[in-house]
Amino acid sequence: HITKVLTVSLVHLQILLCINTPLFEVNEVLLSPAQHHELLIGTKGAMVLELPQRWGKGSEFEGGKDRVNCRTVALAERLFTSSTSLTLKHVAWYPSETEEPHVVMLTSDNSIRIYDLKQPQTPVKMFSLSQCEEESIVPNTRSYTASLGEIAVAFDFGPLTSAPGRRSKEGDRVYPLYILYENGETFLIYCNLTHNSTGLIGKLLGPLPMHPAAEDNYGYDACAILCLPSTPNILVIATQSGMLYHCVVLEGDEEEDQMANESWDLRCESLPSLYVFECVELELSLKLSSGDDYEQLQSDFSCPIALHEDPLCPTRYHCTHLAGIHSIGLTWVNELEQFFSTDDEDKNALQELAAEQKCLVEHVLCTKPLPCSPPAPIKGFWIISDLSLGATMICITDTFECIIRQLLTTTRPVSPPLLCSNPDVGCVVSPLRNFASNSFEQHIRNILRRNVTNPLLLRASEADVPPPPQECLQLLSRATQVFREEYILKQALARDEIVRRVKLLDSQKRKQQQDLVQCIKDKKAMREMAEIIADKFEAARDNQEDIMSRMKRVLHNFNSKLPVLSDNEKDMKRELECIQEQLMDLGNSVKQVHMKNGYQQREIHGEDSPRRKSISLSASQKKCIHSVLKEQSDHITEMVKKINDIRIHVNF
């Protein structure tokens, strides 16, 4: 048993050899979340292959060796060897990328075991999915539970969430594990490898109620389940008859949960409920218009369906089965998230959303085109992202032929906005755009949306005998009808819509051109009117200034002719009289100063008094006289300055 790996360059082929080869037939390989291990899966066991290190040019395994030996670890080998009737139902990696890699295994004894690669023979945790305690005592009850559909067939992990329940701590984070039973019931286990089972963690809860309720519980042949990471979570339940149920996981009412889980766990506070948003029926084999026998053969065909999550787009997933491949895109997920984010309680809006928004189903590959064709299962399937091709599917048929096809170009994740696409703050957007809820481009897309497609047809490797001509004619008629109804007719409808829209836009263009010519004329007339108004304004302003000057002169003459003084004139008169009195006082002071100055000059320089006695003054007396004279001189200088100021003021 070997695993072949093609490098990126598609030139060099490397072969990974298992040191210890598995003792079972390998049906599937699964890469770990950290991409360091490969899980080899079979119905009688599982083995983990440790991928070698990469280095060198092209980042090839061990520098580009042709053959590389790889270490392998057999999981639960003792368990499968000791129990020959035990089979493996479903295997998956534990979703945590930070912890050590763990493998989750669902076996036919209705148990889920989680294994650590360091202890591959002893499970780290084990969950019993039996609905009664007697099953563990009486082994024969397994056949009864299997016949009644009370046995688990698949499981899937949801995104990391907070631990529910009153006993759980706030910091505890758990992975919800959704378990699907064959009778269509869904159970729930909150898993946490680092903490012990406390509260609701590690308890089997369910079955989860489904709304609206159905008599057949939405089928008794459930085979696969898939949890899409959205808010809220969306569960996809598949049946072998080709039915897909898209269920929205929401918190349920406490009263309903207690009634539904009275026999399971009375301590359960609340359980989530599954609300079936829409049902999709897959066309496993092509439906041909023929007789009743062919229709009976087509309706009786059923096969297990495997669900694959799309790594590129969270709102898209893929179905592989014995008759081909289908790709499903959920276009209503974004609207549903907006509905829950706005806290809108209008149920009619949700019903309108469910009625208007339908998922897109694309029949990519059909390996059973005719009722007589034997099934040709898909050996390998993966989704890659290519710059030129976009979302591309790679599958390997039963003849080991590699097929590459593009997928659902109308369903793609939201692209991040470009820097050049950011709207300018200053640009003005037409308010008419706000009235249109959907663009014309979306309207054309809705018209061109195909309900049925013509898939790529392949024949099984064992089909050496050519098919009957009647069935070939029916297949050709079916393909022609699909092309006529889903392609040509819808393209004609889209063309008519485009022609009608062009005529409407043409008439609107002519009307806008007429309005534009009229606006230009109105603009010219308004400009001329503005010039006339501007001239009148200048003339009115000049006249106003002349009138204001005349009014000032009239008021001045009027005030001058009055026989009574005004208040301002009276104030001015009083001020002048006060100044006159001050001038008289200052004049007397000046005269006194002059008289004193003349007397002092005569006393100092007098020659007619030679007989006067010489007076001798002491130093203190001289100093005192000098200070007195200096003060008087300063006072005289100040008085002279004031007098000059008053004269200037009076003369002015």
Side-chain angles (χ1 to χ4, degrees), residues 225-237:
I225 187 172
L226 177 65
C227 181
L228 299 180
S230 62
T231 305
N233 294 338
I234 297 176
L235 286 183
V236 182
I237 299 176

Side-chain angles (χ1 to χ4, degrees), residues 89 107-111 129-136 138-153 181-185 220:
K89 291 287 187 179
T107 53
S108 59
D109 60 349
N110 228 17
S111 299
L129 308 181
S130 301
Q131 302 183 18
C132 61
E133 299 294 337
E134 298 178 357
E135 280 196 26
S136 60
V138 183
N140 294 330
T141 55
R142 295 180 186 172
S143 59
Y144 297 109
T145 57
S147 61
L148 296 176
E150 297 179 356
I151 186 171
V153 293
Y181 281 62
E182 191 176 2
N183 57 4
E185 294 180 345
Y220 293 98

Side-chain angles (χ1 to χ4, degrees), residues 510-521:
R510 290 195 298 270
K511 181 64 172 60
Q512 290 178 357
Q513 288 178 349
Q514 294 175 1
D515 295 342
L516 183 61
V517 172
Q518 185 64 32
C519 289
I520 293 174
K521 293 181 180 179

Side-chain angles (χ1 to χ4, degrees), residues 431-490:
L432 297 177
R433 296 182 181 271
N434 299 329
F435 291 100
S437 58
N438 294 326
S439 62
F440 181 71
E441 181 180 357
Q442 184 64 33
H443 178 60
I444 296 298
R445 287 181 178 178
N446 294 333
I447 294 177
L448 295 177
R449 180 178 295 177
R450 298 187 294 269
N451 299 322
V452 183
T453 59
N454 279 326
L456 179 64
L457 304 180
L458 293 178
R459 294 179 58 191
S461 58
E462 295 86 1
D464 297 333
V465 180
Q470 182 181 0
E471 294 184 357
C472 293
L473 179 60
Q474 294 171 1
L475 181 60
L476 179 60
S477 302
R478 189 259 185 194
T480 305
Q481 183 179 2
V482 169
F483 279 121
R484 181 181 295 112
E485 296 179 356
E486 299 294 332
Y487 290 83
I488 300 176
L489 180 60
K490 292 187 176 182

Side-chain angles (χ1 to χ4, degrees), residues 1 6 60 97 128 145 159 173 176 188 245 247 250 256 319 377 398 420 457 464 492 523 535 538 561 573 587 599 615:
H1 298 271
L6 286 174
E60 298 178 343
E97 298 183 4
S128 178
T145 57
R173 306 285 288 175
L188 176 63
Y245 301 100
C247 307
L250 298 176
E256 296 180 359
C319 306
D398 61 337
C420 59
L457 304 180
D464 297 333
K523 180 181 178 182
D535 296 338
E538 293 293 337
K561 300 296 182 180
K573 180 181 179 181
Y599 176 76
I615 301 174

Side-chain angles (χ1 to χ4, degrees), residues 172-193:
D172 293 344
R173 306 285 288 175
V174 295
Y175 286 98
L177 177 60
Y178 299 98
I179 305 167
L180 179 66
Y181 281 62
E182 191 176 2
N183 57 4
E185 294 180 345
T186 305
F187 289 76
L188 176 63
I189 297 178
Y190 292 103
C191 297
N192 192 331
L193 299 180

Side-chain angles (χ1 to χ4, degrees), residues 45-81:
M47 179 174 288
V48 176
L49 182 142
E50 184 177 352
L51 296 177
Q53 296 182 355
R54 296 174 178 266
W55 66 75
K57 184 178 180 181
S59 184
E60 298 178 343
F61 291 115
E62 291 192 357
K65 294 182 180 179
D66 295 337
R67 294 176 177 267
V68 181
N69 290 325
C70 300
R71 176 177 172 269
T72 56
V73 178
L75 299 176
E77 186 177 10
R78 188 183 302 111
L79 177 65
F80 288 99
T81 304

Side-chain angles (χ1 to χ4, degrees), residues 216-443:
D216 58 348
N217 199 25
Y218 296 97
Y220 293 98
D221 54 352
C223 59
I225 187 172
L226 177 65
C227 181
L228 299 180
S230 62
T231 305
N233 294 338
I234 297 176
L235 286 183
V236 182
I237 299 176
T239 62
Q240 295 186 11
S241 59
M243 294 297 298
L244 299 176
Y245 301 100
H246 298 152
C247 307
V248 181
V249 183
L250 298 176
E251 295 181 359
D253 298 334
E254 295 183 359
E255 297 180 358
E256 296 180 359
D257 294 336
Q258 290 179 1
M259 295 176 59
N261 301 296
E262 184 177 358
S263 60
W264 285 89
D265 193 359
L266 296 177
R267 298 169 297 176
C268 182
E269 289 84 354
S270 62
L271 279 180
S273 301
L274 304 181
Y275 293 84
V276 182
F277 194 83
E278 65 177 352
C279 304
V280 180
E281 183 179 1
L282 297 181
E283 188 180 12
L284 298 180
S285 60
L286 298 182
K287 296 181 180 180
L288 307 178
S289 58
S290 56
D292 297 337
D293 296 337
Y294 287 105
E295 293 180 358
Q296 184 68 23
L297 288 174
Q298 294 173 7
S299 61
D300 292 341
F301 178 74
S302 62
C303 61
I305 298 176
L307 302 178
H308 305 273
E309 184 179 359
D310 196 312
L312 305 178
C313 181
T315 60
R316 180 175 57 196
Y317 66 95
H318 312 279
C319 306
T320 59
H321 45 81
L322 296 179
I325 300 175
H326 287 79
S327 182
I328 295 91
L330 306 183
T331 58
W332 44 266
V333 174
N334 296 330
E335 287 77 4
L336 186 66
E337 291 180 353
Q338 294 177 2
F339 174 80
F340 285 104
S341 61
T342 55
D343 296 334
D344 190 2
E345 298 182 357
D346 188 8
K347 296 182 179 180
N348 296 328
L350 187 60
Q351 294 177 357
E352 292 177 0
L353 176 63
E356 295 177 0
Q357 297 289 339
K358 300 294 184 180
C359 66
L360 299 179
V361 181
E362 182 179 5
H363 199 170
V364 182
L365 180 63
C366 181
T367 59
K368 193 178 185 302
L370 300 175
C372 63
S373 301
I378 302 299
K379 297 295 184 180
F381 176 83
W382 192 246
I383 301 296
I384 62 172
S385 176
D386 187 82
L387 295 177
S388 59
L389 299 178
T392 307
M393 176 201 71
I394 295 181
C395 66
I396 300 177
T397 63
D398 61 337
T399 59
F400 295 98
E401 180 184 0
C402 183
I403 298 177
I404 301 177
R405 289 292 299 271
Q406 285 185 307
L407 294 174
L408 281 179
T409 56
T410 56
T411 305
R412 63 186 64 184
V414 179
S415 302
L418 300 176
L419 295 177
C420 59
S421 63
N422 293 333
D424 190 5
V425 179
C427 65
V428 179
V429 181
S430 174
L432 297 177
R433 296 182 181 271
N434 299 329
F435 291 100
S437 58
N438 294 326
S439 62
F440 181 71
E441 181 180 357
Q442 184 64 33
H443 178 60

